[in-house]
Amino acid sequence: MADSDIKAATALKQQGNKAFSNHDWPLALDFYSQAIEKYDRDPSFYCNRAQTHIKLEAYGYAVADATTALEFDPSYVKAYWRRAIANTAILHYKDALKDFRAVVRKVPSDQNAKLRLAECEKFVRRMEFEKAIEVADPPSAFEGLDIASMVVEEGYDGVLLEEEMTQEFIDDMIKRFKDGKKIAKKYAFQIVEAAKNIVYDEATMVEVQVDKGTKLTVCGDTHGQYFDLLEIFRLNGYPSDTHAYLFNGDFVDRGSWSCEIALLLYAYKWLRPNKFFLNRGNHETDDMNKVYGFEGECKAKYNERLFKVFSESFSALPLATLIGDKFLTLHGGLFSDDKIKLDDIRKLNRHNQRQPGQQGLMMEMLWTDPQTAPGRGPSKRGVGLQFGPDVTKRFCENNGLEAIIRSHEVRMEGYEVEHDGRCITVFSAPRYCDSTENKGAYINVGPELKLDFHKFEAVPHPDIKPMAYAQNSSLMSLT
Protein backbone atom coordinates (compact mmCIF):
# COMPACT_ATOMS: atom_id res chain seq x y z
CA MET A 1 0.00 0.00 0.00
CA ALA A 2 1.51 3.31 -1.10
CA ASP A 3 1.86 6.16 1.38
CA SER A 4 -0.13 8.33 -1.05
CA ASP A 5 -3.13 5.99 -0.73
CA ILE A 6 -2.99 6.12 3.06
CA LYS A 7 -2.70 9.89 2.91
CA ALA A 8 -5.69 10.13 0.54
CA ALA A 9 -7.71 7.77 2.75
CA THR A 10 -6.95 9.86 5.83
CA ALA A 11 -8.06 13.01 4.00
CA LEU A 12 -11.35 11.28 3.12
CA LYS A 13 -11.80 10.31 6.77
CA GLN A 14 -11.32 13.94 7.77
CA GLN A 15 -13.99 14.98 5.26
CA GLY A 16 -16.22 12.32 6.79
CA ASN A 17 -15.58 13.77 10.24
CA LYS A 18 -16.59 17.22 8.98
CA ALA A 19 -19.81 15.90 7.44
CA PHE A 20 -20.52 14.00 10.66
CA SER A 21 -20.09 17.16 12.76
CA ASN A 22 -22.61 18.83 10.42
CA HIS A 23 -25.08 15.99 11.08
CA ASP A 24 -25.03 14.95 7.43
CA TRP A 25 -24.87 11.24 8.13
CA PRO A 26 -25.25 9.97 4.52
CA LEU A 27 -22.37 12.18 3.32
CA ALA A 28 -20.21 11.11 6.26
CA LEU A 29 -20.96 7.47 5.46
CA ASP A 30 -19.90 8.00 1.86
CA PHE A 31 -16.58 9.57 2.85
CA TYR A 32 -15.74 6.85 5.38
CA SER A 33 -16.58 4.16 2.82
CA GLN A 34 -14.33 5.85 0.26
CA ALA A 35 -11.54 5.97 2.85
CA ILE A 36 -11.91 2.22 3.45
CA GLU A 37 -11.79 1.57 -0.30
CA LYS A 38 -8.47 3.45 -0.43
CA TYR A 39 -7.00 1.80 2.64
CA ASP A 40 -8.82 -0.99 4.47
CA ARG A 41 -6.44 -1.57 7.39
CA ASP A 42 -7.14 1.45 9.61
CA PRO A 43 -9.53 0.54 12.48
CA SER A 44 -10.57 4.17 13.00
CA PHE A 45 -12.17 4.25 9.55
CA TYR A 46 -14.43 1.34 10.51
CA CYS A 47 -15.12 2.71 13.98
CA ASN A 48 -16.15 6.09 12.61
CA ARG A 49 -18.35 4.45 10.02
CA ALA A 50 -19.91 2.34 12.78
CA GLN A 51 -20.92 5.52 14.60
CA THR A 52 -22.44 6.87 11.38
CA HIS A 53 -24.39 3.63 10.90
CA ILE A 54 -25.72 4.08 14.45
CA LYS A 55 -26.97 7.54 13.57
CA LEU A 56 -28.67 6.07 10.48
CA GLU A 57 -30.11 3.22 12.61
CA ALA A 58 -28.21 0.65 10.54
CA TYR A 59 -27.29 -1.19 13.71
CA GLY A 60 -26.38 -4.48 12.07
CA TYR A 61 -23.83 -2.70 9.89
CA ALA A 62 -22.54 -0.82 12.94
CA VAL A 63 -21.91 -4.09 14.78
CA ALA A 64 -20.04 -5.46 11.75
CA ASP A 65 -17.84 -2.36 11.39
CA ALA A 66 -17.03 -2.19 15.10
CA THR A 67 -16.15 -5.88 15.01
CA THR A 68 -13.78 -5.31 12.08
CA ALA A 69 -12.14 -2.43 13.95
CA LEU A 70 -11.59 -4.73 16.94
CA GLU A 71 -10.04 -7.40 14.73
CA PHE A 72 -7.39 -4.83 13.76
CA ASP A 73 -7.05 -3.42 17.28
CA PRO A 74 -8.45 -5.58 20.12
CA SER A 75 -7.78 -2.76 22.61
CA TYR A 76 -9.88 -0.16 20.75
CA VAL A 77 -12.22 1.11 23.48
CA LYS A 78 -14.43 3.21 21.17
CA ALA A 79 -15.13 0.16 19.03
CA TYR A 80 -16.31 -1.86 22.06
CA TRP A 81 -18.44 1.11 23.09
CA ARG A 82 -20.08 1.56 19.68
CA ARG A 83 -20.73 -2.15 19.26
CA ALA A 84 -22.40 -2.14 22.68
CA ILE A 85 -24.60 0.82 21.74
CA ALA A 86 -25.58 -0.81 18.42
CA ASN A 87 -26.42 -4.13 20.10
CA THR A 88 -28.46 -2.31 22.73
CA ALA A 89 -30.49 -0.62 19.99
CA ILE A 90 -31.53 -3.98 18.48
CA LEU A 91 -32.23 -5.41 21.95
CA HIS A 92 -29.19 -7.72 21.98
CA TYR A 93 -28.49 -6.87 25.60
CA LYS A 94 -26.32 -9.83 26.48
CA ASP A 95 -23.93 -9.03 23.62
CA ALA A 96 -23.92 -5.37 24.68
CA LEU A 97 -23.19 -6.41 28.25
CA LYS A 98 -19.94 -8.10 27.23
CA ASP A 99 -18.73 -4.96 25.46
CA PHE A 100 -19.71 -2.58 28.26
CA ARG A 101 -17.75 -4.84 30.62
CA ALA A 102 -14.78 -4.68 28.27
CA VAL A 103 -14.92 -0.87 28.30
CA VAL A 104 -15.03 -0.75 32.12
CA ARG A 105 -12.10 -3.19 32.35
CA LYS A 106 -10.02 -1.08 29.99
CA VAL A 107 -11.04 2.32 31.41
CA PRO A 108 -11.99 1.66 35.06
CA SER A 109 -12.13 5.38 35.86
CA ASP A 110 -14.86 6.09 33.28
CA GLN A 111 -17.96 6.76 35.37
CA ASN A 112 -20.24 6.95 32.33
CA ALA A 113 -19.15 3.48 31.24
CA LYS A 114 -19.88 2.15 34.73
CA LEU A 115 -23.34 3.70 34.60
CA ARG A 116 -24.06 2.17 31.19
CA LEU A 117 -22.87 -1.22 32.41
CA ALA A 118 -25.08 -1.07 35.51
CA GLU A 119 -28.11 -0.05 33.41
CA CYS A 120 -27.48 -2.82 30.91
CA GLU A 121 -27.19 -5.40 33.70
CA LYS A 122 -30.44 -4.10 35.18
CA PHE A 123 -32.18 -4.33 31.82
CA VAL A 124 -30.99 -7.89 31.23
CA ARG A 125 -32.37 -8.88 34.63
CA ARG A 126 -35.68 -7.19 33.84
CA MET A 127 -36.02 -8.90 30.45
CA GLU A 128 -35.22 -12.30 31.99
CA PHE A 129 -37.76 -11.73 34.76
CA GLU A 130 -40.49 -10.70 32.30
CA LYS A 131 -39.75 -13.72 30.14
CA ALA A 132 -39.99 -16.00 33.17
CA ILE A 133 -43.45 -14.73 34.16
CA GLU A 134 -44.76 -14.41 30.60
CA VAL A 135 -48.23 -15.90 30.06
CA ALA A 136 -48.94 -17.57 26.72
CA ASP A 137 -52.37 -15.94 26.28
CA PRO A 138 -52.61 -12.97 28.63
CA PRO A 139 -56.07 -11.61 29.39
CA SER A 140 -57.23 -8.47 27.62
CA ALA A 141 -55.86 -5.27 29.13
CA PHE A 142 -59.42 -3.92 28.91
CA GLU A 143 -60.77 -6.73 31.11
CA GLY A 144 -62.14 -5.30 34.34
CA LEU A 145 -61.53 -1.74 33.14
CA ASP A 146 -64.76 0.11 33.98
CA ILE A 147 -64.27 3.27 31.95
CA ALA A 148 -67.89 4.37 32.43
CA SER A 149 -67.38 4.58 36.20
CA MET A 150 -64.13 6.58 35.96
CA VAL A 151 -64.37 10.11 37.30
CA VAL A 152 -62.86 13.04 35.40
CA GLU A 153 -60.19 14.64 37.55
CA GLU A 154 -61.25 17.68 39.56
CA GLY A 155 -59.97 20.83 37.93
CA TYR A 156 -60.08 19.47 34.37
CA ASP A 157 -61.00 22.51 32.30
CA GLY A 158 -61.24 21.06 28.80
CA VAL A 159 -64.14 20.13 26.55
CA LEU A 160 -66.08 17.14 27.85
CA LEU A 161 -66.17 13.84 25.95
CA GLU A 162 -69.43 11.93 26.02
CA GLU A 163 -70.24 8.72 24.12
CA GLU A 164 -69.01 9.89 20.70
CA MET A 165 -65.92 11.76 19.51
CA THR A 166 -66.51 15.34 18.35
CA GLN A 167 -64.48 17.81 16.33
CA GLU A 168 -64.86 20.25 19.22
CA PHE A 169 -63.13 17.82 21.57
CA ILE A 170 -60.30 17.21 19.08
CA ASP A 171 -59.74 20.94 18.53
CA ASP A 172 -59.55 21.49 22.27
CA MET A 173 -57.26 18.49 22.75
CA ILE A 174 -54.86 19.77 20.08
CA LYS A 175 -54.57 23.08 21.92
CA ARG A 176 -54.22 21.43 25.34
CA PHE A 177 -51.37 19.29 24.08
CA LYS A 178 -49.67 22.33 22.53
CA ASP A 179 -49.91 24.06 25.91
CA GLY A 180 -48.35 21.11 27.74
CA LYS A 181 -51.64 19.95 29.28
CA LYS A 182 -53.16 16.47 29.33
CA ILE A 183 -56.66 15.17 28.82
CA ALA A 184 -58.52 13.33 31.55
CA LYS A 185 -57.41 9.73 32.07
CA LYS A 186 -60.99 8.59 31.49
CA TYR A 187 -60.97 10.24 28.07
CA ALA A 188 -57.62 8.71 27.18
CA PHE A 189 -58.99 5.24 27.95
CA GLN A 190 -62.19 5.98 26.01
CA ILE A 191 -60.20 7.02 22.94
CA VAL A 192 -57.92 3.99 22.97
CA GLU A 193 -60.81 1.57 23.49
CA ALA A 194 -62.88 3.10 20.70
CA ALA A 195 -59.99 3.14 18.23
CA LYS A 196 -58.97 -0.41 19.14
CA ASN A 197 -62.50 -1.69 18.47
CA ILE A 198 -62.57 0.05 15.08
CA VAL A 199 -59.17 -1.11 13.82
CA TYR A 200 -59.67 -4.65 15.16
CA ASP A 201 -62.56 -5.11 12.75
CA GLU A 202 -60.63 -3.77 9.76
CA ALA A 203 -58.90 -6.07 7.30
CA THR A 204 -55.20 -6.85 7.70
CA MET A 205 -54.81 -5.03 4.37
CA VAL A 206 -57.27 -2.16 4.21
CA GLU A 207 -58.32 -1.30 0.65
CA VAL A 208 -59.22 2.31 -0.10
CA GLN A 209 -60.23 4.33 -3.15
CA VAL A 210 -59.76 8.07 -3.60
CA ASP A 211 -63.16 9.37 -4.65
CA LYS A 212 -63.77 12.32 -6.93
CA GLY A 213 -63.51 15.60 -5.03
CA THR A 214 -61.35 14.10 -2.28
CA LYS A 215 -57.69 13.47 -1.57
CA LEU A 216 -55.66 11.13 0.62
CA THR A 217 -52.43 12.17 2.35
CA VAL A 218 -49.86 9.48 3.20
CA CYS A 219 -47.52 10.28 6.10
CA GLY A 220 -44.51 8.29 7.27
CA ASP A 221 -42.95 7.99 10.72
CA THR A 222 -43.90 10.78 13.14
CA HIS A 223 -42.10 9.29 16.20
CA GLY A 224 -43.57 11.41 18.93
CA GLN A 225 -42.73 14.71 17.20
CA TYR A 226 -46.12 16.28 17.93
CA PHE A 227 -45.31 19.82 16.87
CA ASP A 228 -44.08 18.59 13.48
CA LEU A 229 -47.31 16.61 13.07
CA LEU A 230 -49.27 19.82 13.63
CA GLU A 231 -47.08 21.46 10.99
CA ILE A 232 -48.24 18.85 8.47
CA PHE A 233 -51.85 19.70 9.28
CA ARG A 234 -51.13 23.46 9.13
CA LEU A 235 -49.50 23.19 5.72
CA ASN A 236 -51.68 20.52 4.19
CA GLY A 237 -55.04 20.81 5.92
CA TYR A 238 -56.60 18.99 8.83
CA PRO A 239 -58.47 15.70 8.32
CA SER A 240 -62.00 16.21 7.01
CA ASP A 241 -64.74 14.38 5.16
CA THR A 242 -63.00 15.19 1.86
CA HIS A 243 -59.41 14.94 3.07
CA ALA A 244 -58.39 11.48 4.26
CA TYR A 245 -55.10 10.64 5.94
CA LEU A 246 -53.03 7.46 6.19
CA PHE A 247 -50.28 7.27 8.81
CA ASN A 248 -47.85 4.53 7.91
CA GLY A 249 -46.63 3.40 11.32
CA ASP A 250 -44.11 4.50 13.96
CA PHE A 251 -46.33 7.10 15.57
CA VAL A 252 -44.59 6.60 18.92
CA ASP A 253 -41.14 6.25 20.58
CA ARG A 254 -38.04 8.42 20.25
CA GLY A 255 -39.81 11.79 20.40
CA SER A 256 -41.25 12.81 23.77
CA TRP A 257 -44.83 13.60 22.70
CA SER A 258 -45.78 10.06 21.71
CA CYS A 259 -48.89 10.01 23.93
CA GLU A 260 -50.12 13.20 22.33
CA ILE A 261 -49.63 11.88 18.80
CA ALA A 262 -51.17 8.47 19.51
CA LEU A 263 -54.21 9.96 21.25
CA LEU A 264 -54.75 12.53 18.50
CA LEU A 265 -54.48 9.97 15.70
CA TYR A 266 -56.80 7.60 17.56
CA ALA A 267 -59.30 10.41 18.17
CA TYR A 268 -59.38 11.15 14.44
CA LYS A 269 -59.81 7.44 13.73
CA TRP A 270 -62.81 7.40 16.07
CA LEU A 271 -64.31 10.55 14.52
CA ARG A 272 -63.79 9.53 10.87
CA PRO A 273 -63.23 5.75 10.75
CA ASN A 274 -63.63 5.59 6.97
CA LYS A 275 -61.46 8.64 6.19
CA PHE A 276 -58.54 8.13 8.57
CA PHE A 277 -56.23 5.11 8.35
CA LEU A 278 -53.42 3.73 10.48
CA ASN A 279 -50.86 1.06 9.59
CA ARG A 280 -48.81 -0.64 12.27
CA GLY A 281 -45.07 0.08 12.38
CA ASN A 282 -42.21 -1.76 14.03
CA HIS A 283 -42.43 0.72 16.94
CA GLU A 284 -46.03 -0.18 17.65
CA THR A 285 -44.65 -3.22 19.47
CA ASP A 286 -43.91 -4.04 23.12
CA ASP A 287 -40.16 -4.63 22.82
CA MET A 288 -39.57 -1.28 21.14
CA ASN A 289 -41.92 0.63 23.46
CA LYS A 290 -40.14 -0.66 26.54
CA VAL A 291 -36.81 0.60 25.22
CA TYR A 292 -37.51 3.71 23.17
CA GLY A 293 -39.71 5.66 25.55
CA PHE A 294 -43.43 5.11 24.93
CA GLU A 295 -44.01 2.83 27.91
CA GLY A 296 -42.23 5.27 30.24
CA GLU A 297 -44.13 8.21 28.76
CA CYS A 298 -47.51 6.56 29.31
CA LYS A 299 -46.59 5.84 32.93
CA ALA A 300 -45.31 9.38 33.51
CA LYS A 301 -48.24 11.20 31.90
CA TYR A 302 -51.12 8.82 32.69
CA ASN A 303 -50.50 5.36 34.18
CA GLU A 304 -49.20 1.87 33.36
CA ARG A 305 -52.67 0.59 32.50
CA LEU A 306 -52.89 3.08 29.63
CA PHE A 307 -49.71 1.64 28.14
CA LYS A 308 -51.17 -1.86 28.36
CA VAL A 309 -54.35 -0.89 26.51
CA PHE A 310 -52.29 0.98 23.92
CA SER A 311 -50.19 -2.17 23.48
CA GLU A 312 -53.30 -4.24 22.85
CA SER A 313 -54.62 -1.64 20.41
CA PHE A 314 -51.32 -1.62 18.50
CA SER A 315 -51.58 -5.36 17.95
CA ALA A 316 -55.01 -4.80 16.40
CA LEU A 317 -53.78 -2.30 13.78
CA PRO A 318 -53.83 -3.25 10.10
CA LEU A 319 -50.46 -4.07 8.54
CA ALA A 320 -50.99 -2.53 5.10
CA THR A 321 -53.25 -0.28 3.04
CA LEU A 322 -53.87 -0.76 -0.69
CA ILE A 323 -54.57 2.60 -2.36
CA GLY A 324 -56.67 2.42 -5.51
CA ASP A 325 -55.34 -1.06 -6.40
CA LYS A 326 -52.06 0.62 -7.45
CA PHE A 327 -50.01 1.42 -4.33
CA LEU A 328 -49.36 -1.05 -1.52
CA THR A 329 -48.52 0.99 1.56
CA LEU A 330 -46.82 -0.78 4.46
CA HIS A 331 -44.31 0.29 7.06
CA GLY A 332 -41.21 -1.75 6.25
CA GLY A 333 -41.11 -3.48 2.90
CA LEU A 334 -41.14 -6.69 0.92
CA PHE A 335 -40.61 -10.34 1.58
CA SER A 336 -38.09 -13.15 1.64
CA ASP A 337 -40.26 -15.17 -0.76
CA ASP A 338 -41.16 -14.07 -4.30
CA LYS A 339 -44.35 -16.13 -4.13
CA ILE A 340 -46.03 -13.75 -1.67
CA LYS A 341 -49.15 -12.18 -3.19
CA LEU A 342 -51.61 -9.58 -1.96
CA ASP A 343 -53.97 -12.42 -1.13
CA ASP A 344 -51.43 -13.76 1.38
CA ILE A 345 -51.60 -10.41 3.18
CA ARG A 346 -55.39 -10.42 3.01
CA LYS A 347 -55.48 -13.91 4.55
CA LEU A 348 -52.97 -13.16 7.32
CA ASN A 349 -54.75 -13.36 10.68
CA ARG A 350 -52.82 -10.73 12.61
CA HIS A 351 -54.99 -11.31 15.70
CA ASN A 352 -53.33 -14.69 16.27
CA GLN A 353 -49.93 -13.05 16.80
CA ARG A 354 -49.80 -9.91 18.92
CA GLN A 355 -46.07 -9.26 18.46
CA PRO A 356 -44.18 -9.65 15.15
CA GLY A 357 -41.44 -12.01 16.42
CA GLN A 358 -38.17 -12.67 14.59
CA GLN A 359 -39.50 -14.18 11.37
CA GLY A 360 -42.57 -14.51 9.21
CA LEU A 361 -44.80 -12.29 7.11
CA MET A 362 -45.66 -9.77 9.83
CA MET A 363 -42.05 -9.25 10.85
CA GLU A 364 -41.01 -8.66 7.24
CA MET A 365 -43.83 -6.19 6.62
CA LEU A 366 -42.71 -4.14 9.62
CA TRP A 367 -38.92 -4.41 9.40
CA THR A 368 -37.45 -4.87 5.90
CA ASP A 369 -35.61 -2.21 3.87
CA PRO A 370 -34.73 -1.65 0.20
CA GLN A 371 -31.17 -1.99 -1.10
CA THR A 372 -29.59 -0.84 -4.37
CA ALA A 373 -28.08 -4.23 -5.22
CA PRO A 374 -30.31 -6.87 -6.85
CA GLY A 375 -31.56 -9.85 -4.88
CA ARG A 376 -31.86 -9.98 -1.13
CA GLY A 377 -29.30 -9.28 1.56
CA PRO A 378 -28.87 -9.33 5.33
CA SER A 379 -30.49 -6.47 7.18
CA LYS A 380 -28.38 -3.44 7.98
CA ARG A 381 -30.48 -3.21 11.14
CA GLY A 382 -29.73 -6.68 12.39
CA VAL A 383 -33.46 -7.51 12.11
CA GLY A 384 -35.30 -8.61 8.96
CA LEU A 385 -33.70 -8.42 5.50
CA GLN A 386 -33.11 -6.12 2.52
CA PHE A 387 -34.63 -6.41 -0.94
CA GLY A 388 -33.33 -5.17 -4.29
CA PRO A 389 -34.97 -3.50 -7.30
CA ASP A 390 -35.53 -6.84 -9.03
CA VAL A 391 -37.49 -8.11 -6.00
CA THR A 392 -39.65 -4.99 -6.05
CA LYS A 393 -40.22 -5.24 -9.81
CA ARG A 394 -41.35 -8.89 -9.59
CA PHE A 395 -43.66 -8.17 -6.66
CA CYS A 396 -45.29 -5.22 -8.40
CA GLU A 397 -45.69 -7.09 -11.69
CA ASN A 398 -47.06 -10.22 -9.98
CA ASN A 399 -49.64 -8.15 -8.10
CA GLY A 400 -50.58 -5.55 -10.70
CA LEU A 401 -49.12 -2.69 -8.67
CA GLU A 402 -47.52 0.53 -9.78
CA ALA A 403 -45.34 0.83 -6.67
CA ILE A 404 -45.00 0.17 -2.96
CA ILE A 405 -45.00 3.06 -0.49
CA ARG A 406 -43.08 2.46 2.73
CA SER A 407 -41.54 4.44 5.59
CA HIS A 408 -39.26 3.08 8.36
CA GLU A 409 -36.11 5.02 7.34
CA VAL A 410 -34.90 8.60 7.54
CA ARG A 411 -34.53 10.25 4.15
CA MET A 412 -32.63 13.54 4.12
CA GLU A 413 -35.13 15.11 1.72
CA GLY A 414 -38.09 13.54 3.53
CA TYR A 415 -38.78 11.04 0.77
CA GLU A 416 -36.99 9.02 -1.90
CA VAL A 417 -38.14 7.30 -5.08
CA GLU A 418 -35.97 4.30 -5.92
CA HIS A 419 -36.06 0.87 -7.60
CA ASP A 420 -36.98 2.49 -10.93
CA GLY A 421 -39.89 4.31 -9.35
CA ARG A 422 -41.42 1.20 -7.82
CA CYS A 423 -40.28 1.75 -4.21
CA ILE A 424 -41.13 5.03 -2.48
CA THR A 425 -40.00 5.90 1.06
CA VAL A 426 -41.75 8.69 2.97
CA PHE A 427 -40.58 9.89 6.39
CA SER A 428 -42.49 12.57 8.28
CA ALA A 429 -40.27 13.36 11.30
CA PRO A 430 -38.04 16.30 10.24
CA ARG A 431 -34.86 16.95 12.21
CA TYR A 432 -35.30 13.43 13.54
CA CYS A 433 -34.46 13.09 17.24
CA ASP A 434 -33.25 16.71 17.21
CA SER A 435 -29.98 15.51 15.70
CA THR A 436 -30.44 14.62 12.03
CA GLU A 437 -30.75 17.55 9.62
CA ASN A 438 -33.41 15.90 7.49
CA LYS A 439 -36.60 17.32 6.07
CA GLY A 440 -39.97 15.69 6.55
CA ALA A 441 -42.36 14.78 3.75
CA TYR A 442 -45.89 13.63 2.98
CA ILE A 443 -47.60 12.47 -0.21
CA ASN A 444 -50.94 13.68 -1.53
CA VAL A 445 -52.95 11.29 -3.69
CA GLY A 446 -55.93 12.51 -5.72
CA PRO A 447 -58.61 10.58 -7.64
CA GLU A 448 -56.22 10.22 -10.61
CA LEU A 449 -53.84 8.30 -8.28
CA LYS A 450 -50.86 10.54 -9.08
CA LEU A 451 -48.38 11.05 -6.24
CA ASP A 452 -47.75 14.66 -5.21
CA PHE A 453 -44.73 14.96 -2.88
CA HIS A 454 -44.38 17.75 -0.32
CA LYS A 455 -41.35 18.49 1.87
CA PHE A 456 -41.39 20.50 5.09
CA GLU A 457 -38.98 21.69 7.76
CA ALA A 458 -39.02 20.98 11.49
CA VAL A 459 -40.66 23.57 13.74
CA PRO A 460 -39.59 24.65 17.25
CA HIS A 461 -40.83 22.65 20.22
CA PRO A 462 -40.60 22.96 24.01
CA ASP A 463 -37.21 22.08 25.46
CA ILE A 464 -37.82 18.42 26.16
CA LYS A 465 -35.23 16.05 24.73
CA PRO A 466 -36.00 12.95 22.66
CA MET A 467 -36.21 9.78 24.74
CA ALA A 468 -36.99 11.87 27.83
CA TYR A 469 -39.26 9.15 29.22
CA ALA A 470 -37.12 6.12 28.38
CA GLN A 471 -36.19 4.35 31.60
CA ASN A 472 -32.77 3.62 30.15
CA SER A 473 -32.40 6.79 28.08
CA SER A 474 -28.68 7.17 28.80
CA LEU A 475 -28.12 3.55 27.83
CA MET A 476 -29.81 4.22 24.50
CA SER A 477 -27.87 7.40 23.75
CA LEU A 478 -26.50 7.42 20.22
CA THR A 479 -23.44 9.50 21.11
Side-chain angles (χ1 to χ4, degrees), residues 62-83:
V63 169
D65 271 349
T67 300
T68 301
L70 288 167
E71 287 168 359
F72 288 121
D73 182 1
S75 64
Y76 200 169
V77 173
K78 274 188 180 178
Y80 284 110
W81 181 267
R82 288 170 183 172
R83 189 167 68 177

Side-chain angles (χ1 to χ4, degrees), residues 106-290:
K106 292 176 183 301
V107 194
S109 61
D110 189 329
Q111 294 304 312
N112 189 29
K114 288 181 178 178
L115 173 65
R116 300 291 184 102
L117 173 59
E119 287 181 331
C120 192
E121 288 173 334
K122 179 180 175 182
F123 213 78
V124 168
R125 288 195 297 271
R126 176 188 168 186
M127 301 293 272
E128 288 177 341
F129 173 73
E130 289 178 350
K131 189 174 181 181
I133 64 170
E134 195 174 76
V135 179
D137 292 307
S140 169
F142 292 94
E143 193 174 296
L145 185 64
D146 187 359
I147 298 174
S149 298
M150 288 184 182
V151 177
V152 173
E153 294 88 342
E154 189 176 342
Y156 176 75
D157 58 354
V159 170
L160 303 183
L161 178 62
E162 304 295 344
E163 297 302 312
E164 295 295 332
M165 181 53 64
T166 66
Q167 187 65 55
E168 183 188 14
F169 182 87
I170 289 178
D171 292 344
D172 181 68
M173 179 170 65
I174 288 171
K175 186 177 186 307
R176 292 185 70 80
F177 289 163
K178 280 178 70 176
D179 295 340
K181 297 179 180 179
K182 295 179 288 189
I183 59 172
K185 286 191 186 75
K186 173 176 180 168
Y187 298 160
F189 280 106
Q190 273 184 267
I191 290 168
V192 177
E193 182 180 52
K196 181 258 180 184
N197 289 339
I198 293 167
V199 299
Y200 188 95
D201 289 337
E202 290 183 321
T204 295
M205 183 179 75
V206 175
E207 302 183 42
V208 302
Q209 302 295 326
V210 185
D211 297 330
K212 187 176 180 180
T214 71
K215 69 176 176 179
L216 168 68
T217 298
V218 181
C219 298
D221 304 35
T222 50
H223 273 304
Q225 296 185 197
Y226 178 72
F227 293 85
D228 296 314
L229 170 63
L230 295 190
E231 179 70 355
I232 295 174
F233 292 150
R234 185 188 74 82
L235 292 169
N236 192 52
Y238 284 79
S240 72
D241 290 338
T242 57
H243 189 173
Y245 272 84
L246 163 59
F247 284 83
N248 195 28
D250 281 14
F251 329 124
V252 302
D253 284 337
R254 297 286 197 188
S256 294
W257 290 272
S258 293
C259 285
E260 287 78 3
I261 282 189
L263 287 169
L264 179 56
L265 297 185
Y266 273 15
Y268 272 125
K269 182 63 182 175
W270 186 5
L271 182 66
R272 292 190 173 86
N274 299 315
K275 291 290 182 180
F276 200 88
F277 305 98
L278 302 168
N279 286 342
R280 189 179 190 180
N282 66 302
H283 276 266
E284 279 72 54
T285 56
D286 284 356
D287 284 350
M288 304 303 277
N289 295 159
K290 290 176 188 298

Side-chain angles (χ1 to χ4, degrees), residues 361-410:
L361 212 59
M362 185 190 295
M363 182 278 290
E364 291 176 359
M365 293 175 74
L366 299 184
W367 276 100
T368 60
D369 295 295
Q371 64 181 24
T372 55
R376 293 177 173 86
S379 171
K380 61 187 177 184
R381 299 172 187 270
V383 183
L385 57 95
Q386 295 182 183
F387 57 95
D390 55 328
V391 175
T392 305
K393 180 182 179 184
R394 286 193 296 272
F395 181 82
C396 288
E397 289 177 348
N398 289 343
N399 290 281
L401 298 172
E402 188 170 311
I404 66 164
I405 300 173
R406 40 93 60 185
S407 302
H408 194 39
E409 290 181 283
V410 177

Side-chain angles (χ1 to χ4, degrees), residues 95-108:
D95 292 331
L97 198 57
K98 295 175 187 174
D99 284 337
F100 281 131
R101 284 173 176 158
V103 173
V104 170
R105 277 197 309 272
K106 292 176 183 301
V107 194

Side-chain angles (χ1 to χ4, degrees), residues 423-470:
C423 180
I424 296 150
T425 298
V426 59
F427 192 83
S428 304
R431 201 161 191 272
Y432 179 47
C433 290
D434 288 352
S435 64
T436 301
E437 300 303 330
N438 64 293
K439 295 179 175 68
Y442 52 89
I443 307 170
N444 283 329
V445 188
E448 306 81 14
L449 300 180
K450 302 298 181 188
L451 304 185
D452 182 16
F453 298 92
H454 295 263
K455 298 186 285 188
F456 67 102
E457 302 282 353
V459 295
H461 61 71
D463 188 19
I464 300 173
K465 304 297 183 203
M467 302 281 290
Y469 298 95

Side-chain angles (χ1 to χ4, degrees), residues 334-341 361 364 376 385 391 395:
L334 296 180
F335 310 99
S336 56
D337 186 348
D338 277 340
K339 297 187 182 72
I340 297 298
K341 303 288 286 284
L361 212 59
E364 291 176 359
R376 293 177 173 86
L385 57 95
V391 175
F395 181 82

